């Protein structure tokens, strides 16, 4: 696809709306992370991949000469993704604030350098007529683990992200020439995020009776699930455990049983020794034994 040469006003307007939404979409998530000091359910890998994906997308937007708002969009999104990633390192992995900050700054500089190098390298190749797309290429893992439930992702952020992708897609539609690759990227983004919404909605429908029962008992869904786990009873909507965790639990149970067995044997032995010590040294029965 050849670079754009003339950008219509409608494309600039729609691109600006999409860019504003994508530039501030992560702010509610970052604010929620900071306020609660928790990032449970928000994978560090997801945020890092989002930041990394901003690099090739930023390169493509600039080389294709999209409207300016669309070119700015990946840069802002990448930086905010790195901020959220650093928060996850702090709150979930207990990194020191200064370490997470330094790493975030280093990664930002590194990604910026890579993007600049790719633009300078690929622009010349592209302008010489080689139109091969200049592209270098989880939250669904967390959703699968929780049987469709979405935890840790701010819904305002997700709504703004999906809306930003939609308006950006419309900006490409409004251009004189629709960029197929860019449109596909935005369509994939919308589809993935709509899938997150759908997954949580289905989970709410599946668990409505369980949540209703928990509320009647003055408990939350998580508290009720924890009670089932403590009792050792199977719970239909319990989180899926990895094989490693299952093995660890089995080993822990075996250790506890072994410890209990050893404790009983030691206790019995101690009682026998104590009874023997209580018997008088000159006891005839003791002597005969």
């Amino acid at each position: 696809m050849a670079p754009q040469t003339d950008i219509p006003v409608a494309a600039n307007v729609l691109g600006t709306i999409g860019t504003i939404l994508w530039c501030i979409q992560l702010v509610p998530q970052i604010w929620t992370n900071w306020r609660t000091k928790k990032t449970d359910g928000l994978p560090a890998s997801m945020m890092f991949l989002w930041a990394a994906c901003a690099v090739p997308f930023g390169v493509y937007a600039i080389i294709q000469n999209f409207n300016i708002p669309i070119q700015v969009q990946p840069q802002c999104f990448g930086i905010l993704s790195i901020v959220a990633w650093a928060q996850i390192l702090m709150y979930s992995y207990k990194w020191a604030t200064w370490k997470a900050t330094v790493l975030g700054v280093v990664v930002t500089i590194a990604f910026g350098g890579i993007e600049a190098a790719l633009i300078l390298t690929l622009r010349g190749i592209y302008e010489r007529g080689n139109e091969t797309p200049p592209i270098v290429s989880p939250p669904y893992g967390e959703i699968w683990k929780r049987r469709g439930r979405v935890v840790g992702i701010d819904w305002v952020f997700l709504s703004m992200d999906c809306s930003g992708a939609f308006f950006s897609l419309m900006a490409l539609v409004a251009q004189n020439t629709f960029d197929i690759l860019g449109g596909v990227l935005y369509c994939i983004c919308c589809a993935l995020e709509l899938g997150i919404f759908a997954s949580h909605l289905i989970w709410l429908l599946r668990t409505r009776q369980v949540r209703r029962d928990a509320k009647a008992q003055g408990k939350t869904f998580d508290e009720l699930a924890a009670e089932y786990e403590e009792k050792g009873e199977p719970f239909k909507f319990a989180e899926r455990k990895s094989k490693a965790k299952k093995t660890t639990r089995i080993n822990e149970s075996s250790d506890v049983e072994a410890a209990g067995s050893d404790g009983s044997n030691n206790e019995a032995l101690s009682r026998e020794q104590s009874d023997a010590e209580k018997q008088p040294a000159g006891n005839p029965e003791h002597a005969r034994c």
Side-chain angles (χ1 to χ4, degrees):
M1 182 68 66
Q4 302 292 319
T5 55
D6 183 31
I7 307 298
V9 175
N12 274 316
V13 171
L14 290 167
T16 301
I17 295 173
T19 298
I20 290 172
L21 289 169
W22 266 33
C23 286
I24 64 175
Q25 61 172 311
L26 271 170
V27 173
Q29 183 69 60
I30 291 170
W31 167 254
T32 299
N33 295 345
W34 178 82
R35 181 174 54 83
T36 61
K37 300 295 187 292
K38 290 176 61 179
T39 52
D40 297 342
L42 195 64
S45 57
M46 179 182 78
M47 285 300 164
F48 186 82
L49 285 173
W50 281 5
C53 287
V55 174
F57 193 52
V59 172
Y60 185 71
I62 292 172
I63 290 178
Q64 281 291 81
N65 197 30
F66 287 168
N67 56 80
I68 297 300
I70 296 294
Q71 293 184 33
V72 172
Q73 185 185 103
Q75 326 307 329
C76 297
F77 179 69
I79 290 172
L80 290 174
S81 295
I82 290 174
V83 171
W85 175 63
Q87 286 184 317
I88 296 171
L89 295 180
M90 290 165 51
Y91 301 138
S92 292
Y93 294 93
K94 308 304 178 185
W95 280 42
T97 303
W98 71 269
K99 286 184 179 179
T101 303
V102 169
L103 183 59
V105 171
V106 170
V107 170
T108 301
I109 294 172
F111 282 178
I114 293 170
E115 183 173 335
L118 287 172
I119 291 170
L120 293 173
T121 303
L122 296 175
R123 176 175 274 165
I125 298 173
Y126 210 56
E127 289 175 350
R128 286 195 293 271
N130 186 348
E131 295 187 358
T132 302
I135 293 184
V136 182
S137 298
Y140 280 92
E142 290 290 322
I143 291 173
W144 177 85
K145 185 176 74 174
R146 291 180 169 84
R147 300 185 184 275
R149 185 186 186 189
V150 179
V151 175
I153 298 179
D154 187 89
W155 293 109
V156 176
F157 145 65
L158 199 63
S159 300
M160 293 174 68
D161 189 29
C162 191
S163 300
F166 173 76
F167 279 104
S168 299
L169 177 63
M170 293 301 101
L172 296 185
V173 171
Q175 291 183 159
N176 292 329
T177 305
F178 178 74
D179 189 273
I180 297 175
L181 184 57
V184 169
L185 291 173
Y186 285 125
C187 285
I188 291 173
C189 180
C190 284
L192 289 174
E193 285 163 347
L194 289 174
I196 295 174
F197 279 111
S199 176
H200 193 69
L201 179 60
I202 292 170
W203 180 85
L204 289 174
L205 292 173
R206 291 181 65 208
T207 60
R208 61 187 182 279
Q209 186 59 51
V210 178
R211 291 182 291 106
R212 193 177 296 125
D213 293 343
K215 186 176 181 181
Q217 300 174 35
K219 302 171 185 174
T220 65
F221 176 86
D222 292 322
E223 289 171 345
L224 189 64
E227 286 185 4
Y228 273 89
E229 188 171 353
E230 288 176 3
K231 295 175 184 176
E233 298 178 4
F235 183 50
K236 183 178 180 180
F237 301 102
E239 289 187 13
R240 291 183 173 93
K241 305 295 182 183
S242 65
K243 290 183 179 179
K245 287 185 178 179
K246 287 181 179 178
T247 304
T248 302
R249 287 195 171 189
I250 291 170
N251 292 338
E252 287 177 352
S253 300
S254 301
D255 292 341
V256 169
E257 290 175 3
S261 176
D262 292 343
S264 300
N265 293 337
N266 292 336
E267 187 177 349
L269 184 59
S270 298
R271 281 200 300 269
E272 290 177 4
Q273 290 176 349
S274 177
D275 292 340
E277 289 174 357
K278 288 179 181 178
Q279 295 230 355
N283 191 316
E285 293 183 1
H286 178 73
R288 280 198 298 270
C289 292

